[in-house]
Each structure stands twice: as structure tokens, then as C-alpha cells.
Amino acid sequence: MLEKDVEKVLVSNAEIKQIAKELGKQLSFDYKDKFPIVLGLLKGCVPFIGDLITEMDIHLELGFMDVSSYHGGIESSGDVKISKDLGISVQDRHIIIAEDIVDTGRTIKTIMELLTFRGAASVEVVTMLDKPTGRIVDFHPKYVGTTIPSEFVIGYGLDYEQKYRNLPFVGVLKPEVYNK
Ligand code: PRP
């Protein structure tokens, strides 16, 4: 039903599972004995963070913040809002922020600065998708699943007007969907 609105698949489900496996293995190595907080930024992180943490064979703590900047359209507003905070102390903790996508970089930069200000021992980013052509602030995520071109993508957590997050792959919508 949802797939009829999709023009093309950019990252298949099998590719996403492989990405999670490789990144999970790398993070397990890098964070062994560090008991990191894997911090998901809601809502887009949801499917990917599930895949990622089940590929991490170390002790970790799971946390979430509800953060948004798009407010419904296809362009970032640049105004990052926190509607639910983490609720646990990050003082002297190693934080891995898990994202679905880094686009302008504003969301991640804002949250990284906040966590550093709160006394985190380290803050790094793992993202399923990196869209470097969208960057407005200078930022390079340390752990990247795959790099995508300059297109508005949906699926596997990413939405258009809150819809399509439940697609099992990342794709591009047909233009007529925006004009409905
Ligand atoms: C999306 C995405 C990232 C952010 C990336 O979230 O999940 O958090 O935008 O964009 P940026 O690099 O330009 O800041 P959004 O604000 O749409 O909220 P959502 O996760 O609830 O969809």
C-alpha cells in the first residue's frame, strides 16, 4: 500500500541490516568496558537504533530525547526543539548519539553541545544516513552507515508529514505525493 508512493529505493532493508551489523561490531570494539549511553533522538531513530543495539555485544544504557527541527515540511526549520529530555545524568559518561540522518547538522550540533556542557566524558554520533550536501554547520559524524545524495528521503524512521516512517527501506517519494 505505502510502496505505491515510492519513486525509488535508495537503501534496501538488507543493506540497512548489514549497516547495523557493521556499525554495531565497530561500536562494540570501541566502547568495550565503557558502558556507553546509546542515545536515540526521537522519532526518526526508532527502527535503526533497534537494529544497532541488538548488534552491540557489550553492556550499554539506552536513552532517548525527543528532538525535532522539521515541523512537518521537507525543509529543516533550523530551530531545534527538545520536547522530552534524557532524564539521566550524562556526567562522565560516554555518549553515542544514534541518528537516522545527519542533514544540515543543526540537530546533532545542538545536542552535542548540550551534552558536552552537561559534562559527558565523550560524545560521538552514529548515523544510518549521512547527507553531506545538506550541511549548513561544519560537522562530520564518526560512524556513518551510508552516504546519500541530495534528495528528500523517507522510510525506516524518516517521515514526510509524520508518515512513511514504517517503510522497511529508505526511499524517495514520487513528486505527486508532495502536491496532494
Ligand atoms: C530529522 C532526523 C534528524 C534531523 C536531521 O528529525 O531524524 O534528527 O532531522 O536533520 P538536521 O541534520 O538538518 O538537523 P526531525 O527534526 O524531522 O524529527 P523526527 O526525528 O521526529 O522526524
Side-chain angles (χ1 to χ4, degrees):
M1 199 275 260
L2 300 180
E3 284 190 33
K4 70 173 181 3
D5 294 343
V6 176
E7 186 164 87
K8 63 180 173 194
V9 175
L10 273 189
V11 192
S12 71
N13 187 271
E15 287 170 323
I16 294 168
K17 299 291 181 190
Q18 186 59 31
I19 284 168
K21 196 170 194 162
E22 286 168 15
L23 290 174
K25 192 174 171 193
Q26 184 66 49
L27 290 168
S28 299
F29 180 80
D30 292 355
Y31 286 86
K32 189 175 183 305
D33 302 323
K34 288 187 171 169
F35 190 43
I37 298 173
V38 179
L39 169 58
L41 302 187
L42 296 168
K43 302 166 191 165
C45 73
V46 168
F48 182 65
I49 199 172
D51 291 344
L52 184 71
I53 60 166
T54 50
E55 294 289 350
M56 291 176 70
D57 190 22
I58 57 170
H59 287 300
L60 60 86
E61 186 168 359
L62 187 57
F64 292 95
M65 289 173 79
D66 196 349
V67 177
S68 66
S69 66
Y70 275 50
H71 312 303
I74 63 169
E75 298 268 322
S76 170
S77 67
D79 178 21
V80 179
K81 289 202 163 50
I82 298 172
S83 51
K84 177 194 173 294
D85 208 338
L86 180 56
I88 51 174
S89 172
V90 299
Q91 182 78 43
D92 300 325
R93 299 291 302 272
H94 296 280
I95 316 295
I96 305 166
I97 304 175
E99 269 283 34
D100 50 348
I101 187 168
V102 178
D103 187 356
T104 66
R106 282 175 174 140
T107 302
I108 211 67
K109 189 157 187 278
T110 303
I111 301 305
M112 286 181 88
E113 284 174 359
L114 178 66
L115 296 171
T116 302
F117 174 76
R118 288 177 178 177
S122 70
V123 186
E124 294 290 356
V125 173
V126 56
T127 185
M128 175 174 70
L129 309 175
D130 188 15
K131 187 157 83 174
T133 52
R135 215 64 104 243
I136 286 174
V137 300
D138 185 31
F139 175 71
H140 304 276
K142 183 169 182 184
Y143 303 95
V144 174
T146 190
T147 300
I148 60 163
S150 182
E151 287 189 276
F152 181 74
V153 291
I154 44 82
Y156 224 78
L158 294 135
D159 73 301
Y160 170 59
E161 295 186 337
Q162 298 304 323
K163 295 178 278 190
Y164 303 102
R165 293 190 197 273
N166 50 322
L167 276 173
F169 54 79
V170 174
V172 178
L173 280 178
K174 290 177 180 166
E176 59 259 36
V177 177
Y178 302 124
N179 304 324
K180 269 179 190 168

